[in-house]
Structures are given as C-alpha cells and as structure tokens.
Amino acid sequence: MPTTASSTDPIQIRGACPHDCPDTCALLTTVENGVSTRVQGNPAHAQTGGVLCAKVSRYAERTHHAERILTPQRRVGPKGLGRFEPVGWDEALADIAARLGAIAARDPQAILPYSYAGTMGLVQGESMDRRFFHRLGASQLARTICSTAGGEGLHYTLGGKLGMKVEFFAESRLILVWGSNSIASNLHFWRYAQQAKRDGARLVCIDPRKTETADKCHEHLQLRPGTDAALALALMHELIVHGWLDHDYIAQHTLGWDQLRERALQWPPERAAAVCGIPVEQITRLARDYGTTRPAAIRLNYGMQRVRGGGNATRAIACLPALTGAWRQRAGGLLLSSSGHFPVQRALLQRPELLAGRAPRTLNMVTVGDDLLRPTSPAFGPQVEALVVYNSNPVAVAPDSGRVVRGFAREDLFTVVLDHFHTDTADYADYILPATTQLEHWDVHLSYGHTDVLLNRPAIAPVGQARSNAQIFRDLAARMGFTEPCFADSDEELCRQAYGEQVDFGALLDQGFAPLALPDAPFADGGFPTPSGQCEFYSARLAAQGHDPVPDHLPNHELPGRSSAYPLAMISPPARNFLNSTFVNVQSLRDIEGRPLLEIHPADAQARGIADGAVVRVFNDRGSHRCHAVVSERARPGVVHGLGIWWRKLGLDGTNVNELTGQALTDLGAGPTFYDCAVEVEVAPATA
C-alpha cells in the first residue's frame, strides 16, 4: 500500500495533529496531484468528531507556504540578519559533522541539543535525535519549558500524569475550568463541557483573565496570578468545617490526611480572599457547590503552574477530588494530563545505553539565556560551543529573550537549526536544514487530553529537499561514523517500536487511531500509582528532598507592588490564533490577530493616560517591549496580559513579550515562571 498520494484523483490520507495541544486530533488530508488541498478532522475518531481548530484547518496553507525553506542554507551575513545561501545536503552534512566532531573530540558536553514540542510526535520529536546525542555524549537538555511544575505536582500526589477520561466531563454536574481558556486551547473538551451545560451542569471558570471561556461559564473567579493554591486550601477549609467530605474514601485511599487538614484549617476563606483578590462569597459558594454536587470534575490546565508555586498549587488542587470522593464516579475527578496512561517504550526509542556509562551534564532549557553566556568553569563545565535546535524557536519563546538573543549572537557559537521557516531562531543559525511538516512524514502520537494512540501517515512526498527530523539525525549519524544498527531504523520502524506489542499497530494502520484499554473511573477504588498506592496529601519523597511534604501557597517571585517601580503583574497567555510561536507566519491567521497587544484594565489605563489602541511601552529591569494597548475588562485591575507569542521580527521594535519574562524557576520541576512577572506600562515615547 503506498504511503503517499500520487494519483490524479483526490484521495484522503489519515494522520494526526502534531501540535502542542491536549486534543491530538485525527486528521484527514485531501491530496490532488501530489499536493495537499485540504486538512480536516477525521469524523471516525470520536474525540475529534470531524472538527479542527482554525489553526490546524489551515495546515495545507502552512505546508505549501511561499516562504517554506526547501533547501539546506548556509549563513552568509552577520548573525541575526537572516542572510543565507543555498547549499547541497552533502556539503551541509559534511561540514556540520566535521565541526561537531571537532568539538566532541575536546568535550562532547560543549554540544547542546535544544528541542521541545514543535511536534509532539514520538518519532520526529524524541527518537533518532536522542540516539544521536546519546551516542555523541552531548549535554542533555531538561525539557521544562511548559509543564514540569504541574507534572511533578501530579506525580507526587496521584502518582503520574493521570486523570479522568475527558469524554465523561459530558456527564458531570459541576465543572471547574481551572487555568484553561478551553475554547481557544482545548476545543474538544469544550464540546463535552457544553453538553454537560445543556444537561444542567454548572460551569465555573477560575482564571486571572476574563477569557472567552469565562464568558461562557456561569461564574468566573478572577483571582490574582499565582494564588491558585490559596484558593484550593480555602476550599478544603470549607469542606472540612461543613463536613462535605467522603471520610471513607479519605480513610481507605489517601495518605497524610491529618497533616493536610491542619494546613487547610490555616486558610479560612477570608485569608484566601485577601490573597486571591476575590470576594469571600465566591469562595464559600464554590466550596459549597463542590462539596455537595455529584459528580464534580476539574479540568485543570498548565497556565496556573507557570509561577513560583506552580507545583504546590497543582498538588493542592489534585487533592480536592479525594477529599470529596469524586473519583468514585467516572464523571468525577480531575484531568490535567492523560499522557501518563500511554505505555510508550521510550528507552527503546531513545537508546540511553548509547551513553556507554557516560553521565553528561543536564542544562535547563528555561535558562538558555544565561547558559549560552556562561564561560567554562568547574561548576558549569565547558562553555556551550555548538547548539542544534529543532522543534523549537527559543529566541522567541524562551524567557528573558534579551539574554537569549545575546547568547545566540555569539560568533563563536556554531548553531544548526532544523525548521520549516526563517523563524527568529533560524536567523541566528550557521546552517538551516529543511524539515518536513506533518503531512510529509511518518509519526505516532500519544495525547495529554484523551487516551487514544494516533498514527500519522505521510500524505504527500516531502516538499523540495525537506527531510524528516529522524532522517536528518540518521544522516548526521552516518556522517559521523556511528555504525550501531539502531541508526538504520526507518521512520516507519520507529513508529512500530514506540508501543511495541502493547498497541495494535494493525489497528493504527487501518483506522489511524487505537483507544487504550483503561477503566472508566481509574481511581474509584484507589489504586494510585504512588509508593503508598494512595493519593498522597503528604509526600515522603518531597520531604526527603527538603521540600514541604504538604501542599501550601507560595507567593510569586515578583509580587506586584513589592517594587514601586513595577506595580503591575503581567501574564502572557497565548493569542487565540497562534500556538506558541507556530502559525505566526500564516498570513490568514496573523490577519485575524492583527498585531501584538497588551490588555489593560480601564482603571490602570486611565491612571497612566493610556487610550485604547495606543502604542505603549511595557518594561522592567530585564527589558522593554512596545505594543498596542487594548483597554479591556478582560484584565483585572493590577494585572496586564501580553498576548503571545509573536515572532520578535514582527514586533514594533524587534521584541516580543518574552523580553520581560524571567529565568527564575518553579518550586517543583524546575519549570518556567512566565506568569510571575512584574512590569510597568507607559505611553510609548514618540519615535523620531
């Protein structure tokens, strides 16, 4: 059976959305004369239901974009200006291999891979690349830039990234949409929430921003950024004092109830209301509803954990369903991520044995701005001399981007970028290698929003001279003389290895998807995959690491008002029509977004003489960013929203919102604190 379409008659090829979204949709790509003409949702996949977001429905436009990089390119001008000349694959690979080989001969830890979720695929995202860098002995990368605080919070409480099945939200009677603009970033969950709402369920949104999702819920708790744990503890306080508890579930299936009870009783609603900046009545009403409604479910998302106390906040919220016994019903419980349910054979894909006993250092991708500027030292190790970037655009997306740019601008830093377009990061490359899009390669996927495995078949042949990520690392391995048999595995073979016998690959070939066999209510009878087998309110593992073993509220690193110079809190939620920095160069989507924006409450705007649409300067000690103001009550007083992530080169002054964000880390998981950022805003001075 051919894997790509070449017939003159239109045909449809089954695939999977590769993007960093919980929905992981099943795709159908229509192909005519070898060209993809339409990408739509596969109606045979229940989770997708034939519906795609506006972004991915334009995926054919992205694949056949006029600015697509179609040949290898070599830099001919100063770094950052984006001047390149075409070069053949053989010449590019030979030079890259030679330069990496020379650095590795001195110390392979001077080479750093940098990648994240530009594709969520297990093959193009985390297989042959990992084999290559393991064999090389390069520095390892802590891939922390999105979700590690929340993931660690779940790990130490529930035992992993696990939760209720998303489809059963449709049966819930109360849904807390916590830290999620689901209409924009979790569309298929929102279908289930709307079904529940039509059937009489109450929907409550908890978010610092009055999002499009908040508009559609019955109530919105517009708390201050970074105060979610305080709210969760106050809810516990009310559950305790009013007896809205499932004592039997607590006794049988939890650990550390006495310690959590003591902590929660320190958080009466009045105290939490003062910290969160919301009325006491909203807390007491929500506690009553949560404590007395069955089934009640929480859809948590990752925005709330991008602050100093993000791990503790996730832990506190994850304790709530066990207190009320919500896990007993399939439409009760919590979902942040379902990715821990998937039996991925990562060791087989990544081959850590290729390290051959070596233990390279690990650098955190959040601190790349500092790390690229660090000299060699005993504590740090060798200076980073080479950087290989793929599935990421760190110059745009990493925090404290002024320092990131200075690091990438080093003339002595050899940088290779695998990408589809001339992103902000690609402008600093020495070589750009053209990568395939999802319509042009094999891949296999898990999901963090549902529990189906998806297969992606290539729908068309690679455009121009593009090669898949896995093929590029396979070619580099050959150039560097790596002869281990695992470097010969094809992309399709890697797809088969990802799950082995644990998932029916025949079903994936036939349907494009295969549901995991899981219980409807995973923790109805306990059975948490923690060391104790219980939901751990008290974590001995955290205590052994010197952390507080019981969840608590940790104030932000940068509390607004702590410095009179920077009295405003800033969060940087995604623009609705972009996905991180992906799709920014799709003109039809950029036309909808218009321009980089800062939402500011009318009271804050009036105090600063800022009119709607005015050009403003947002600034702190790290940098300054100009954009246009939107005076709106989507922002609460004292908080502004820098909607991102625009490419820097498309900003008014070559910056984006990450000029302002910092490199401080979260309490658990060493994650980023993008939403823990104090700023000031003023009308931008007139430019000459």
Side-chain angles (χ1 to χ4, degrees):
M1 179 185 295
T3 59
T4 59
S6 58
S7 168
T8 56
D9 296 326
I11 66 169
Q12 290 186 322
I13 305 296
R14 289 184 292 271
C17 178
H19 290 294
D20 190 358
C21 163
D23 293 19
T24 318
C25 293
L27 307 181
L28 289 177
T29 300
T30 301
V31 180
E32 300 180 54
N33 298 314
V35 175
S36 56
T37 58
R38 184 185 182 194
V39 177
Q40 64 195 96
N42 185 349
H45 182 235
Q47 299 293 347
T48 303
V51 177
L52 293 183
C53 67
K55 300 179 280 287
V56 178
S57 64
R58 289 171 169 82
Y59 204 85
E61 180 182 345
R62 189 175 187 276
T63 294
H64 299 291
H65 198 291
E67 297 172 0
R68 178 91 184 267
I69 298 170
L70 300 179
T71 63
Q73 298 185 354
R74 177 170 54 202
R75 179 169 64 92
V76 294
K79 286 193 173 188
L81 295 185
R83 296 177 185 168
F84 295 87
E85 64 180 4
V87 63
W89 271 107
D90 286 344
E91 186 176 356
L93 291 169
D95 192 26
I96 293 168
R99 296 182 69 170
L100 293 181
I103 295 169
R106 297 192 296 274
D107 191 335
Q109 294 181 104
I111 301 168
L112 177 67
Y114 195 103
S115 71
Y116 197 64
T119 173
M120 296 289 283
L122 296 170
V123 172
Q124 307 304 339
E126 49 178 302
S127 65
M128 195 62 68
D129 58 309
R130 304 295 209 275
R131 296 179 185 187
F132 177 80
F133 290 112
H134 284 152
R135 174 65 175 78
L136 193 61
S139 287
Q140 300 198 47
L141 183 71
R143 291 174 169 84
T144 59
I145 206 162
C146 178
S147 61
T148 49
E152 290 292 279
L154 290 187
H155 172 72
Y156 288 111
T157 310
L158 307 181
K161 292 184 177 181
L162 308 163
M164 59 185 288
K165 289 186 176 181
V166 67
E167 55 265 35
F168 296 134
F169 278 91
E171 302 171 8
S172 302
R173 304 300 297 167
L174 173 69
I175 300 175
L176 310 189
V177 184
W178 202 319
S180 176
N181 185 8
S182 304
I183 290 176
S185 62
N186 196 184
L187 180 63
H188 294 80
F189 155 76
W190 188 245
R191 286 186 314 160
Y192 296 124
Q194 288 295 93
Q195 180 61 55
K197 185 180 181 183
R198 287 191 292 270
D199 291 342
R202 179 173 173 80
L203 272 57
V204 178
C205 180
I206 302 169
D207 199 300
R209 180 175 182 253
K210 191 175 189 295
T211 62
E212 298 90 339
T213 303
D215 292 340
K216 302 295 184 182
C217 290
H218 294 97
E219 186 173 9
H220 176 209
L221 279 67
Q222 195 170 13
L223 74 179
R224 294 187 178 110
T227 62
D228 303 83
L231 175 59
L233 288 163
L235 295 179
M236 294 181 202
H237 178 283
E238 293 299 277
L239 297 177
I240 293 166
V241 299
H242 291 283
W244 297 322
L245 299 168
D246 186 329
H247 292 285
D248 181 64
Y249 195 92
I250 292 170
Q252 291 193 55
H253 305 308
T254 72
L255 177 70
W257 165 233
D258 289 342
Q259 294 94 328
L260 182 64
R261 184 179 186 278
E262 180 182 358
R263 176 66 49 81
L265 289 175
Q266 298 169 14
W267 282 92
E270 293 77 12
R271 180 185 179 192
V275 170
C276 298
I278 57 177
V280 172
E281 294 75 22
Q282 281 199 308
I283 298 175
T284 56
R285 180 168 55 247
L286 180 59
R288 182 196 64 223
D289 289 348
Y290 187 73
T292 60
T293 306
R294 298 291 181 274
I298 301 172
R299 182 60 176 105
L300 191 60
N301 213 341
Y302 284 116
M304 49 69 61
Q305 48 93 72
R306 296 190 180 117
V307 294
R308 176 197 173 202
N312 266 271
T314 304
R315 288 206 71 218
I317 297 165
C319 291
L320 290 169
L323 293 177
T324 62
W327 290 116
R328 292 188 187 276
Q329 298 167 287
R330 70 181 192 176
L334 173 144
L335 178 62
L336 171 59
S337 173
S338 57
S339 63
H341 288 295
F342 290 81
V344 180
Q345 300 187 137
R346 281 194 166 83
L348 186 60
L349 283 177
Q350 300 180 10
R351 301 298 179 95
E353 69 273 13
L354 291 168
L355 284 167
R358 296 169 294 181
R361 68 180 175 187
T362 298
L363 300 182
N364 191 328
M365 67 189 309
V366 174
T367 59
V368 67
D370 282 346
D371 288 344
L372 290 180
L373 297 173
R374 295 187 200 278
T376 299
S377 71
F380 179 65
Q383 182 183 42
V384 177
E385 297 182 47
L387 189 64
V388 182
V389 180
Y390 54 104
N391 298 335
S392 190
N393 181 12
V395 170
V397 305
D400 200 355
S401 58
R403 289 187 65 77
V404 177
V405 166
R406 289 196 287 278
F408 270 81
R410 283 175 39 205
E411 280 296 331
D412 62 340
L413 177 70
F414 178 58
T415 303
V416 178
V417 173
L418 286 59
D419 216 314
H420 310 131
F421 300 104
H422 283 275
T423 64
D424 290 333
T425 302
D427 287 344
Y428 288 85
D430 294 286
Y431 280 97
I432 307 173
L433 302 179
T436 48
T437 69
Q438 188 77 345
L439 304 189
E440 303 158 82
H441 57 228
W442 284 94
D443 217 330
V444 67
H445 292 255
L446 51 72
S447 172
Y448 65 96
H450 61 72
T451 51
D452 296 347
V453 175
L454 277 77
L455 179 70
N456 187 76
R457 288 172 174 268
I460 60 175
V463 177
Q465 297 180 34
R467 298 181 182 180
S468 73
N469 286 348
Q471 184 61 48
I472 291 171
F473 285 107
R474 196 180 291 117
D475 294 340
L476 279 172
R479 288 281 179 169
M480 298 193 71
F482 299 168
T483 58
E484 289 82 357
C486 66
F487 289 107
D489 291 342
S490 70
D491 289 9
E492 183 180 350
E493 289 169 333
L494 291 168
C495 286
R496 292 177 180 272
Q497 292 172 16
Y499 293 99
E501 299 300 318
Q502 299 176 87
V503 173
D504 184 348
F505 199 79
L508 292 176
L509 289 171
D510 290 342
Q511 300 182 97
F513 57 89
L516 298 177
L518 297 168
D520 285 353
F523 306 128
D525 300 309
F528 295 90
T530 56
S532 66
Q534 298 173 311
C535 178
E536 295 195 349
F537 303 152
Y538 178 99
S539 172
R541 291 176 292 173
L542 285 175
Q545 298 171 39
H547 293 290
D548 191 334
V550 180
D552 201 359
H553 165 64
L554 300 180
N556 280 2
H557 290 296
E558 299 185 13
L559 282 173
R562 178 177 289 173
S563 163
S564 60
Y566 308 120
L568 299 173
M570 187 189 76
I571 62 174
S572 44
R576 183 168 180 175
N577 292 283
F578 302 153
L579 203 163
N580 299 321
S581 73
T582 304
F583 296 103
V584 177
N585 65 321
V586 175
Q587 190 64 49
S588 60
L589 294 171
R590 196 162 76 242
D591 288 345
I592 298 171
E593 284 301 324
R595 55 194 182 183
L597 300 174
L598 182 86
E599 292 177 341
I600 184 170
H601 188 272
D604 293 323
Q606 182 178 22
R608 292 162 175 78
I610 295 169
D612 188 64
V615 177
V616 294
R617 175 177 172 256
V618 194
F619 62 96
N620 58 22
D621 287 340
R622 288 179 289 272
S624 173
H625 168 56
R626 288 192 309 133
C627 57
H628 286 84
V630 175
V631 179
S632 169
E633 291 192 1
R634 290 204 180 279
R636 60 166 288 152
V639 181
V640 295
H641 312 147
L643 303 183
I645 302 172
W646 283 77
W647 289 6
R648 289 170 58 90
K649 68 177 75 177
L650 298 175
L652 293 177
D653 49 9
T655 64
N656 69 13
V657 70
N658 280 322
E659 195 80 6
L660 308 166
T661 55
Q663 297 180 67
L665 302 178
T666 54
D667 53 344
L668 302 177
T673 54
F674 288 114
Y675 297 177
D676 186 339
C677 178
V679 301
E680 179 59 290
V681 183
E682 65 182 11
V683 175
T687 57

